[in-house]
Structure formats: C-alpha cells, structure tokens
C-alpha cells in the first residue's frame, strides 16, 4: 500500500514517542516500529533521568552542564549541552504531568539519587540528580509517552520493519517498510521523516542492548551518503552481569554499592579519589579491565565484584527490585547477601547520525541539512555526550531532543511538499529481497557469522584499543561480507519471516562495524570511551573535533567538524 | 557448568505451507544457566532458520517472548534450563490467533486496554512543579506499573478463553494502575468501563493469572480492590 503522512517517525522509543506527541499537535503522524511500541529498548532503562531539580539537595543546571562537558571528555558540543541541561527541569516536570510515576520523597516530591559523574560545585562531591522510578525508569516513561500519544491520534504501525529511507536530490522522501506479519511492502510518502531507531549494541558480543538494537537505519543512511559522526565512541558500562551482559544500573552504586577486586579492595578509590565508584563509566570500565589485567580479578578470573550488601535489604527491595530479581533469576545470587560478579558490557552509542540542536540531519561537516530528514535519540549525535555519556543523560537527551525535533518538524511541514517514492525505488528494494529469498544454495549460516562479527568487535574494538588489533578488523569484515553472500535463507515464506529480517539486520551490523572500527583506527588519541593503548592521553591540539565518516563507493572517508566550546575550556579530567 | 541434553517439542504452524499445526522435536545440549530463548535461537541459527518467535530484550523486561512452556505461560528469556525437566513442550499462547509457530496475534489483547482509557487523566491545570504524591499513595500502584503486557495472564484465564469479549486480567490491572493513582481524576469513567458486562464481574477468582505473571503482579488483589470500589460506588449511588 501507499500511505501519505505529514510526518513519519521510525521508532517508538522515548525519542520517537516524544517527537510524535509534539508533531501530532499540528500534522498527521505515523510511527513505524519493528517491535510493539512498548517493547522498544527504552523500556530497559533502569537507573534514572537527570535534571537539576534540587529536590534532595541544592543543585543547578550549570553544574549539570559542567559535569556533562567534563564527562564527555570535552568533545560534547557545549551549545547543545547547555540547551539540554537548561531544559531538564521542565522536561522532567512535564513527564510527571503526563503520568510518569517517579519515586517520591517523603513529602511527595520527585526523589533523586546519585549517579556517575554528576556532582555539585563543579566536581566537589556527588550530587543527587537522577530522577527515577525504582530501577524501571525507562519502562514507566515509555508507557506514559505511549499512552499519551494515543490520545493525540498518532497512527501506529507496529511490527513494520523499515527497509529503506530514500533520499533523492538532497530530500528525504519517506520510508519503505515491510509489514512483518504479512510480508507486504508498504510505501510511506512524507513531508518529514524522523529517525529515532535507537542504539546498535548488537555489534558487540557482550551487550546490555536488545536483540533488536541493530542500527538498521543508521546503516541505511550511511549507504545513502549521510555521514556518521563520532562512531569510534562506544560506551562500555562497567557493570554487566558476568557472562550475560545484562545491565546492573549505576544507580546501584548511586545507592551506595561499591566495586571490589579479588583482593577485597575498593579499587576505585585509587583511580578516582574524590568520587570513587561514581566516576564516569569510561573510567570505571577501564579501571575494572586494568584490575583484571593485572591479576586482581576475583579468584584470578576475568570479573570483579559489585557489592550491594552495605545498602541493606530495604533499599534494595524498594529502589533496585529489578536488578535484585535479575541477579536471582539469571545468576542465582541474592545481592542482599552476596556480591555480584560483573564485567563491562557494550551499552551505549555516543556516535550516530549528525544533527543540529533541532534534530535536522546534517549532510556534511559544514552543517548543511538534508531536507525533510530528522533524527533524535540514541541513533543521533547532537553531540551532547561527546566521547562519553554520563548516566541518566540519555533518557534526558531522547525526550529533550525528541520534543525539539517535533517542534522543528512542525515548522518544516509548512514549507515542504510531501515526498514521492517512485516505483523504481520500490522495485529495487523488492529485487534485493527476492534475491535473498530465491537463493537456494549456500553453505554459510547467518548465526555463525553474527557470532564471528560480535566476537571480532569485542576482542579488537572494545574498552582498550590499539593499532594492531584494529588493523585486524577490515580483512575479517571483508571475509564476513563475502560469506554473507553465501547464506541460504531456509524460510521462503512471506509471513513473519524473521530469518530474512535477521540476515538484513546482520548486514547492517557489519556495515556499522566498519564505520566504528575505521573511525577508531583513524582517531590517534585517547578520549572518553575511545582508549588507544598506542596513543595514551588526550590530544587537544589535533583532536578537538568530531569525526564524520562518509561512505564513498566501498571506502570510508573522514571529515571533521570542530567542537563547539562556549563556557568550559578543556582541562585535565580528574575525579 | 556441565551441558546436558534436552528435548524440545515445539508446536509449529506455517499457514503458507500447511493449514494445520504440527509438532516437531529438537535435541539440544544446553547449560543450566542458558535461557529457553537461547535454545530457540540455537535452533534458529543451527537447525531450522524458519522457527519463528518474538524476542527483543532477552531479560524479561519487554514482554515479547511469552509462550506456553510445559503447560504454563511464561517468558522464554526468563526460563532457565536449570529449572526445567529434560523434556520441554513449547506452544504459542492460547486464546489468541496463531500467526506462525510461537507468534500469536496480540492485537485483540492490546485492544482491550484501549477500552479502559489507558492514560493518566487529570483535568486540573498542571502546577508549575510536580503533582505531589506521597510514597504511601504511590504504593497503591507500584505493582500495577510493572506490567510488561506480555499477555501471559489473559491467555491463561479460563474466563477469557471461554469468552474473549472479557477485558481480561491485564486490562483490569491497567485500569487499577490509573484508578488508584492519586493524580488521576477519571475514576468514575474508568469504573463505568470496567463494570460493564465484559468487565470485572467476569472474573471468577480462578487465580490462573497470578501463577503465570513473570513480574509477580498480584493480579487478583488488584481485581478484588476494583470490585470493592465498584460495590462501594453502587451502594453510594443507591443511597
Ligand atoms: C539496559 C539499559 C539501561 C539503560 N538505563 C538508562 C538510564 O537509566 N538512564 C539513561 O539516561 N539511559 C539509559 N540507557 C540508555 C537509554 O535507555 C537509551 O539510550 C534510550 O532509551 C534510547 O531511546 P531511543 O528512543 O533512542 O531508542 P529505543 O528505545 O531503542 O527505540 C528504538 C526504536 O526504533 C525501532 N526500530 C529500530 N530499527 C527499526 C527498523 N529497521 N524499522 C522499524 N523500526 C525500527 C524499534 O522498534 C524501537 O521502537 C539504558 C540503556 C540500556 C540498554
Ligand atoms: S499482569 Fe503480568 S502476566 Fe499480565 S500482561 Fe502484565 S506482566 Fe504479563
Ligand atoms: S525477550 Fe523481552 S521479555 Fe523475553
């Protein structure tokens, strides 16, 4: 079928839904999502959303601004960070009014807790800035936004998998998507299209991300000539459940949990004497890996302990019930009584589709926008997180910039004509699907290739990186790409063909792995989450700039955009 | 940890190939710490790519992977082999039309929610700051807000199976989530909805729902509180 809408939104996580609420005030809005809306991975967010409400102790947006800049290792654009931090209080109050059941103080105000890298007085001590609902913060915000968007006539297309986002002569025309249940291909013509398709942690073997977090839309746009910004910066969260990668929120340390090595030492005191276990994630992850490398893992193994025993049963049951339940179910440990084995897990993509503060997608490092194309949420790079995101700043980012994109879309819709996706473009998509399905021989298995890819990236492009490791990746990726051509999809049906979709997703992951690893090889310094053993130390003279990776034929070219510095000059990053 | 052999008997259905469902058995070696979802992925990756099921989060928070496991509804990603027998029977959720293999059409289930006005309604102008709510007030909804809409409860409910016009436990929990939220002002409208003929009174306290809820929501307790409220309102009105 062919549909016409003012605005198409891809993704029903926090970013997509907040934008939908805004855009549907003025125009017709369709939300396409490959899952059911409330199953988007935003639902997994545990610990909180940041905002200097000052409900528990004095706080200020300026401190939040400073912490975010410093957390980003000075790569975040300060104009954008200021916008976000200044809008945080309004945003959280608005969410509360929309129905979010935030946890409360005894007087009934929104409760707040400590989180990594959030401090008072420009780094003096940790501050309570994270608003939360126990450890189900993403879940309750996602439901509230979904519920409210239904009251505004947003049209949902659940289980529609986006296959293409055609950009013709610099204008985005809309979207081509497969209705998963029937296998039918539909065309959505639109004035404006917002990509809010979330993260792509599934590039790595151990991750806190959903199986659906495969970065399809970034890959589609990358192939269409849109640059990808700062892809070398991928955050490894320090505390994934050992062997599984399931997240244990930083809120656990915010409530008083501590990291302990094999010798029983609180090792973070050594690496971050002032804020210790609440140092930013890049530092804590590196510290854990260093402890393990130097033989101080627990029982000489490759993990450390997160000890919550000091917090007490009551706080654990009230404020961390989900992670207590994860521990009991998945590793058979009761965190009230025993420490939790943890290891860093691939968690959050700082890099993504370059946008300005109003969600407009940039076509190049000079700031030219693609007409009719917007992005928000984890798939986008504004950049407010720079080289390392602070905990709780992502949920804030999704809602603040989702709304701003929605407002900008309302303005844009007044001046843009509805795009038209021509049949030749659709034919091309159909032909590719047909080729995939009609192949009857082939010796490779997609599952095995996915595993190879994820292991490759985990081994050579995770917490620590170096030239030799990174140089091993391109050949291996080429091999995987070749082998992918030799996969024979057994399911030849149209309906709910998840085997076909998994192969398509895998191709996207390989494409993004190329962008990540080549950007990582290209940046010859260590900054935030990108830590090069062969280039220790930040190099502000050469690298105060964002990477724009651009696909040219089959090669990747690099361009650069200077970092916007307004208030805070780069300084030594000590905690 | 040691791997062990398991036999999975899965109910398969592919409407494009056969109008009828069939059973198929798979032998797998799995670790005690593996999830049933890992086994399904293993079959899909290594034996039969056409095996179809829903999944996303893989740790019990998105509600995608509810299915009937050895006769009881549950999440595949929350069922570990250490807790399972060597022979495991897997079927799609009952009570909903089967789309393919373990995937059911959940639209009828989700539409139930829409009937109970599933969004916070508060007609007073929003204050400058948050609407106050004490921890005690919030306690009343703390369980209901954890529902992940997996469908396990409604599917397991004999009343729903007999008559699928019934709102079902999940939608009633959702109604409770708003009715007992101190910030919500649409109690009357919602009670009107849940006391219609397809509502509350179709619950006969069989308690299947609470047995299967992966989030341990005490569903009957919520339904009973709604019933009490409805009765109180009726008496008040009669007076
Ligand atoms: C376990 C975990 C805990 C976290 N905790 C916190 C926290 O406490 N605080 C915080 O600030 N941040 C947290 N984060 C980060 C934060 O949750 C995410 O960055 C954020 O929720 C992303 O939201 P989003 O709207 O961008 O995308 P998502 O919520 O991931 O949504 C993506 C959407 O895009 C759709 N989609 C993707 N591809 C396609 C396609 N091809 N076709 C159609 N639809 C598609 C999906 O169906 C989905 O609806 C956490 C992340 C994880 C993984
Ligand atoms: S109440 Fe429990 S069983 Fe029912 S839909 Fe919600 S989470 Fe699933
Ligand atoms: S995959 Fe999300 S609940 Fe099982």
């Amino acid at each position: 079928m062919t549909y016409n809408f003012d605005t198409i939104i891809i993704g029903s996580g926090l970013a997509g839904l907040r934008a939908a609420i805004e855009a549907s005030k003025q125009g017709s809005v369709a939300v396409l999502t490959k899952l059911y809306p409330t199953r988007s991975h935003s639902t997994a967010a545990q610990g909180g959303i940041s905002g200097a409400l000052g409900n528990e102790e004095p706080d200020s947006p300026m401190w939040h601004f400073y912490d975010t800049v410093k957390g980003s290792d000075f790569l975040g654009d300060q104009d954008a960070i200021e916008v976000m931090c200044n809008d945080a209080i309004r945003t959280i109050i608005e969410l509360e009014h929309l129905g979010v059941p935030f946890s409360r103080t005894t007087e009934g105000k929104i409760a707040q807790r400590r989180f990594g890298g959030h401090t008072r007085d420009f780094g003096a001590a940790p501050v309570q800035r994270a608003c939360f609902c126990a450890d189900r913060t993403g879940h309750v915000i996602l439901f509230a936004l979904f519920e409210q968007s239904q009251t505004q006539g947003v049209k949902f297309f659940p289980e529609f998998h986006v296959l293409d986002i055609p950009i013709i002569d610099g204008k985005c025309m809309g979207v081509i998507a497969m209705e998963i249940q029937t296998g039918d291909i539909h065309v959505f013509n639109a004035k404006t299209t917002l990509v809010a398709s979330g993260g792509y942690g599934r590039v790595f073997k151990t991750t806190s991300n959903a199986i659906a977090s495969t970065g399809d839309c970034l890959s589609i746009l990358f192939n269409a000539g849109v640059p990808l910004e700062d892809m070398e910066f991928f955050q490894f969260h320090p505390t994934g459940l050992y062997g599984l990668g399931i997240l244990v929120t930083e809120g656990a340390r915010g409530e008083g949990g501590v990291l302990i090595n094999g010798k029983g030492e609180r090792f973070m005191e050594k690496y971050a004497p002032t804020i210790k276990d609440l140092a930013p994630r890049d530092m804590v992850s590196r510290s854990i890996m260093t402890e393990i490398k130097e033989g101080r893992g627990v029982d000489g193994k490759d993990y450390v302990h997160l000890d919550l025993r000091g917090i007490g049963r009551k706080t654990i049951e009230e404020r961390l019930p989900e992670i207590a339940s994860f521990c009991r179910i998945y590793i058979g440990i009761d965190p009230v009584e025993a420490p939790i084995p943890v290891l860093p897990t691939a968690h959050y993509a700082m890099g993504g589709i370059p946008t300005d503060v109003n969600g407009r997608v940039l076509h190049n490092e000079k700031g030219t926008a693609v007409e009719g194309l917007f992005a928000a949420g984890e798939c986008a790079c504004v950049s407010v997180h720079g080289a390392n995101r602070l905990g709780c700043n992502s949920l804030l980012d999704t809602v603040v910039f989702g709304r701003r994109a929605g407002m900008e879309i309302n303005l844009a819709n007044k001046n843009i004509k509805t795009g038209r996706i021509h049949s030749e473009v659709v034919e091309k998509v159909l032909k590719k699907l047909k080729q995939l399905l009609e192949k009857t021989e082939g010796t490779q298995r997609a599952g095995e290739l996915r595993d190879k890819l994820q292991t490759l990236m985990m081994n050579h492009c995770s917490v620590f990186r170096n030239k030799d490791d990174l140089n091993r990746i391109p050949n291996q990726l080429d091999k995987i790409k070749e082998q992918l051509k030799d996969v024979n999809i057994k399911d030849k049906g149209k309906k709910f063909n998840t085997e076909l979709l998994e192969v398509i997703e895998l191709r996207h992951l390989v494409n993004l792995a190329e962008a990540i690893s080549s950007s990582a090889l290209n940046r010859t310094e260590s900054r935030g989450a990108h830590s090069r053993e062969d280039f220790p130390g930040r190099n502000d003279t050469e690298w105060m700039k964002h990477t724009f990776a651009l696909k040219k034929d089959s090669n990747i070219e690099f361009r650069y955009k200077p970092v916007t510095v307004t208030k805070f000059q780069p300084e030594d990053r000590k905690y | 940890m040691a791997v062990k052999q398991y036999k999975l008997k899965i109910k398969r259905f592919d409407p494009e190939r056969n109008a009828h469902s069939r059973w198929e058995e798979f032998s797998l070696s799995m670790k005690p710490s593996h999830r049933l979802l890992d086994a399904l992925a293993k079959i899909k990756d290594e034996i039969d790519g056409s095996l179809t099921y829903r999944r996303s989060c893989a740790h019990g928070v998105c509600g995608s992977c509810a299915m009937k496991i050895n006769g009881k509804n549950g999440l595949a990603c929350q069922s570990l082999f250490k807790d399972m027998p060597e022979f495991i029977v897997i079927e799609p959720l009952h009570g909903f039309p089967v789309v393919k293999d373990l995937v059911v059409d959940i639209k009828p289930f989700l539409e139930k929610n829409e009937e109970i006005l599933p969004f916070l309604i508060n007609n007073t102008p929003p204050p400058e700051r948050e609407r106050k709510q004490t921890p005690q007030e919030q306690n009343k909804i703390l369980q209901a807000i954890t529902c992940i809409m997996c469908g396990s409860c409604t599917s397991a409910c004999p009343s729903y199976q007999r008559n699928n016009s019934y709102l079902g436990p999940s939608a009633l929990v959702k109604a409770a989530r708003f009715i007992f939220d101190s910030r919500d002002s649409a109690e009357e409208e919602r009670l009107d909805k849940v006391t219609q003929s397809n509502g509350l009174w179709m619950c006969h306290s069989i308690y299947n729902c609470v047995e299967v809820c992966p989030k341990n929501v005490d569903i009957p307790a919520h339904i009973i509180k709604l019933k009490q409220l409805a009765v109180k309102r009726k008496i008040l009105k009669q007076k």
Side-chain angles (χ1 to χ4, degrees):
Chain A
M1 261 189 71
T2 300
Y3 298 88
N4 292 299
F5 282 93
D6 290 330
T7 302
I8 301 296
I9 293 176
I10 308 168
S12 57
L14 262 49
L17 291 177
R18 185 60 192 85
I21 289 177
E22 208 57 37
S24 60
K25 288 177 184 164
Q26 297 193 15
S28 59
V29 175
V31 175
L32 273 62
T33 166
K34 65 179 177 181
L35 305 166
Y36 268 88
T38 56
R39 294 175 178 175
S40 304
H41 206 51
S42 285
T43 202
Q46 304 170 355
I49 175 167
S50 54
L53 266 64
N55 278 0
E56 306 263 6
E57 58 181 323
D59 196 4
S60 113
M62 185 60 90
W63 297 344
H64 189 184
F65 177 14
Y66 169 79
D67 289 338
T68 305
V69 172
K70 187 172 167 189
S72 83
D73 216 347
F74 296 89
L75 190 75
D77 286 320
Q78 298 187 13
D79 52 343
I81 296 175
E82 189 167 16
V83 163
M84 180 175 83
C85 297
N86 283 342
D87 201 26
I89 302 175
R90 190 204 56 76
T91 298
I92 287 163
I93 298 300
E94 178 186 79
L95 289 174
E96 195 281 329
H97 292 163
L98 291 176
V100 176
F102 284 112
S103 294
R104 302 292 169 145
T105 65
T106 40
E107 318 96 273
K109 292 198 276 188
I110 294 174
Q112 298 190 274
R113 67 175 160 212
R114 293 175 176 165
F115 238 81
H118 291 280
T119 69
R120 67 173 160 78
D121 282 319
F122 308 101
V127 76
Q128 299 176 67
R129 187 179 288 147
C131 307
F132 58 93
C133 171
D135 50 0
R136 311 187 172 97
T137 314
H139 170 80
V140 293
I141 301 179
L142 185 67
F143 268 80
L145 290 180
F146 174 61
E147 288 155 3
Q148 292 298 332
S149 64
Q150 285 176 306
T151 65
Q152 290 197 194
V154 174
K155 176 92 180 102
F156 282 93
F157 292 87
E159 299 194 327
F160 272 58
H161 192 114
V162 170
L163 297 171
D164 201 7
I165 309 167
I167 300 172
I168 311 233
D169 298 332
K171 157 138 182 46
C172 177
M173 297 295 174
V175 164
I176 300 171
M178 178 192 283
E179 181 178 2
I180 300 177
Q181 188 153 334
T182 60
D184 293 338
I185 302 297
H186 301 277
V187 173
F188 293 81
N189 295 316
K191 291 178 178 168
T192 45
T193 302
L194 171 77
V195 183
S197 57
Y200 42 93
R202 287 280 155 177
V203 168
F204 298 95
K205 182 80 191 158
T206 305
T207 178
S208 64
N209 281 199
I211 299 171
S213 302
T214 50
D216 317 342
C217 297
L218 283 95
S219 161
I220 291 170
L221 292 177
F222 192 42
N223 287 340
V226 173
L228 295 181
E229 183 176 353
D230 291 343
M231 295 297 282
E232 61 272 40
F233 299 102
F234 205 98
Q235 177 171 82
F236 282 75
H237 192 295
T239 57
L241 287 186
Y242 180 61
L244 285 159
I246 296 173
L247 190 78
V248 180
T249 173
E250 200 170 77
R253 279 170 286 138
E255 298 289 358
V258 290
L259 289 163
I260 307 280
N261 66 15
K263 294 169 84 181
E265 297 160 337
R266 255 193 91 175
F267 57 89
M268 280 313 298
E269 289 177 339
K270 199 165 52 184
Y271 299 96
T274 311
I275 60 175
K276 305 180 181 103
D277 296 274
L278 288 174
R281 291 174 181 172
D282 58 327
M283 295 180 73
V284 182
S285 285
R286 276 195 297 277
S287 307
I288 292 176
M289 295 315 285
T290 305
E291 290 298 302
I292 291 170
K293 225 186 315 187
E294 293 176 359
R296 292 186 296 278
V298 172
D299 296 336
K301 294 209 189 105
D302 59 338
Y303 64 85
V304 296
H305 273 147
L306 172 62
D307 193 344
L308 307 188
R309 286 173 296 183
I311 303 181
R313 181 180 299 278
K314 186 165 178 290
T315 307
I316 291 181
E317 297 300 344
E318 276 176 21
R319 296 194 154 190
L320 304 164
E322 287 282 310
I323 66 137
S325 139
F326 297 154
C327 291
R328 288 174 193 135
I329 293 174
Y330 294 107
I331 52 174
I333 277 178
D334 184 348
V336 176
E337 278 151 18
I340 311 166
V342 293
L343 192 67
T345 180
H347 183 59
Y348 182 85
M350 271 75 71
I353 307 161
T355 70
D356 66 12
V357 290
N358 297 315
R360 300 189 314 154
V361 172
L362 306 182
H363 204 70
N364 56 39
E365 70 285 2
K366 295 184 192 79
T368 324
V370 182
E371 201 193 354
L373 186 62
F374 296 77
E378 188 169 338
C379 69
C381 179
V382 183
S383 138
V384 284
H385 310 301
N388 173 65
R389 167 173 80 82
L390 288 191
C392 291
N393 268 356
S394 171
L395 294 188
L396 180 63
D397 164 10
T398 60
V399 190
V400 166
F401 292 103
R403 169 173 171 269
R404 291 178 70 93
M407 297 194 303
E408 188 69 19
I409 280 170
N410 287 337
L411 292 177
N413 281 344
K414 293 191 179 122
N415 305 315
I416 305 187
K417 277 208 244 113
T418 306
R420 263 204 62 190
I421 298 172
H422 291 286
S423 52
E424 308 91 79
V425 184
V426 185
E427 287 303 323
K428 250 201 217 151
V429 170
L430 287 170
K431 202 172 135 200
K432 265 195 216 155
L433 289 175
K434 212 167 144 209
Q435 274 171 353
L436 277 173
L437 281 178
E438 280 181 356
K439 212 172 139 44
T440 49
E441 56 215 274
T443 50
Q444 299 291 336
R445 289 203 301 247
E448 207 171 298
L449 297 179
R450 192 189 318 116
D451 196 64
K452 260 193 206 167
L453 168 76
Q454 293 170 333
T455 308
L456 176 74
M457 291 299 283
M458 200 71 197
N459 289 346
H460 298 313
C461 196
S462 53
V463 177
F464 289 111
R465 300 156 173 189
N466 62 57
K467 190 171 157 208
D468 292 341
D469 276 353
L470 291 169
N471 268 331
R472 291 206 180 95
I473 296 177
N475 269 338
Q476 296 295 323
L477 286 181
D478 285 344
K479 231 199 230 154
I480 294 173
K481 270 196 281 185
E482 266 317 298
Q483 290 169 328
L484 252 171
K485 291 184 190 151
D486 197 28
V487 168
N488 169 13
I489 296 171
K490 190 174 168 211
D491 192 342
K492 304 291 177 202
K494 267 188 85 185
K495 292 188 176 172
F496 231 101
N497 191 336
T498 51
E499 188 184 8
L500 170 67
L501 292 174
E502 283 187 6
V503 169
I504 295 173
E505 288 174 333
L506 177 55
R507 291 182 165 199
H508 292 315
L509 286 176
V510 174
N511 200 23
L512 294 179
E514 274 192 299
I516 296 168
S517 57
S518 61
S519 302
L521 182 62
N522 183 56
R523 184 175 285 265
T524 49
E525 66 157 351
S526 291
R527 186 186 292 271
H530 174 65
S531 188
R532 286 280 300 256
E533 290 164 323
D534 44 349
F535 293 97
R538 208 172 70 198
N539 178 348
D540 289 337
T541 338
E542 284 174 62
W543 285 106
M544 274 296 279
K545 56 188 181 188
H546 300 285
T547 309
F548 274 51
L550 201 63
K551 205 164 184 173
K552 281 271 159 89
D553 304 317
S554 54
N555 293 324
I556 294 178
E557 277 181 21
F558 295 102
R559 310 271 169 79
Y560 303 97
K561 186 173 161 230
V563 177
T564 309
V565 177
T566 57
K567 287 218 170 58
F568 304 107
Q569 289 304 317
E571 58 182 57
D572 229 15
R573 191 162 164 258
K574 288 220 167 70
Y575 285 91
Chain B
M1 271 184 283
V3 293
K4 220 170 108 178
Q5 278 297 118
Y6 292 89
K7 207 163 246 166
L8 268 65
K9 183 176 171 190
I10 303 179
K11 196 169 191 181
R12 308 280 315 256
F13 173 62
D14 182 351
E16 288 172 280
R17 286 202 284 191
N18 194 331
H20 302 284
S21 61
R22 66 192 164 92
W23 290 95
E24 191 169 8
E25 287 189 11
F26 299 91
S27 288
L28 296 174
S29 40
M30 304 299 296
K31 286 187 197 162
S33 61
H34 276 144
R35 299 161 270 208
L36 179 58
L37 186 66
D38 299 323
L40 297 177
K42 202 173 156 112
I43 295 172
K44 193 170 181 67
D45 283 346
E46 297 173 14
I47 306 171
D48 181 356
S50 72
L51 180 69
T52 306
Y53 52 92
R54 287 194 180 97
R55 82 286 177 273
S56 184
C57 71
H59 65 288
V61 296
C62 77
S64 295
C65 68
M67 52 190 71
K68 197 162 187 170
I69 305 160
N70 279 337
K72 192 176 158 193
N73 293 348
L75 301 178
C77 69
Q78 209 171 276
S79 308
L80 268 64
F81 278 91
K82 69 176 168 59
D83 307 318
M84 283 194 283
E86 282 156 33
F87 186 70
I88 304 163
V89 182
I90 305 168
E91 303 161 72
L93 287 181
H94 284 197
F96 308 127
V98 182
V99 175
K100 186 171 170 180
D101 289 347
L102 302 170
V103 174
V104 294
D105 185 358
I106 57 166
K107 270 180 234 108
F109 164 69
L110 296 174
E111 278 160 14
K112 300 291 178 197
N113 263 350
E114 289 165 25
E115 292 187 35
I116 56 100
L117 309 171
F119 35 84
L120 189 88
I121 299 175
N122 186 320
N123 296 325
T124 58
E128 206 156 285
R129 295 287 291 208
E130 63 266 51
R131 292 194 165 98
K132 294 273 172 66
Q133 181 173 53
T134 63
Q136 292 74 16
E137 285 170 329
Q138 194 175 66
N139 273 340
K140 296 185 186 154
I141 58 167
L142 274 188
Q143 277 201 27
I145 57 174
T146 66
C147 168
I148 55 173
M149 311 265 296
C150 69
S152 291
C153 55
T154 297
S155 156
C157 172
S159 302
Y160 180 81
Q161 283 172 10
R162 213 170 307 125
N163 181 348
N164 64 12
S165 74
Y166 172 37
L167 284 176
S170 171
L172 291 174
V173 166
K174 187 63 82 185
R177 180 254 169 272
F178 290 106
I179 289 175
F180 296 116
D181 190 324
S182 59
R183 303 167 300 168
D184 187 81
S185 55
E187 181 182 312
E188 285 293 309
E189 286 119 287
R190 286 187 223 282
L191 277 177
D192 283 346
K193 302 273 182 193
V194 298
T195 50
Q196 283 172 5
S197 60
N198 69 340
L200 275 182
W201 308 113
M202 284 182 77
C203 166
H204 300 300
S205 306
I206 300 165
Y207 284 50
N208 275 10
C209 51
V210 68
E211 301 247 314
V212 298
C213 176
K215 293 312 228 185
N216 296 321
V217 178
D218 189 346
I219 306 167
H222 287 80
I223 298 180
I224 289 168
K225 281 194 193 123
L226 285 176
K227 283 181 175 171
Q228 287 167 342
L229 194 66
V231 171
K232 211 159 90 192
R233 184 176 77 142
K234 205 168 164 199
I235 297 171
L236 276 177
K237 271 196 179 154
Q238 279 164 354
K239 278 187 187 163

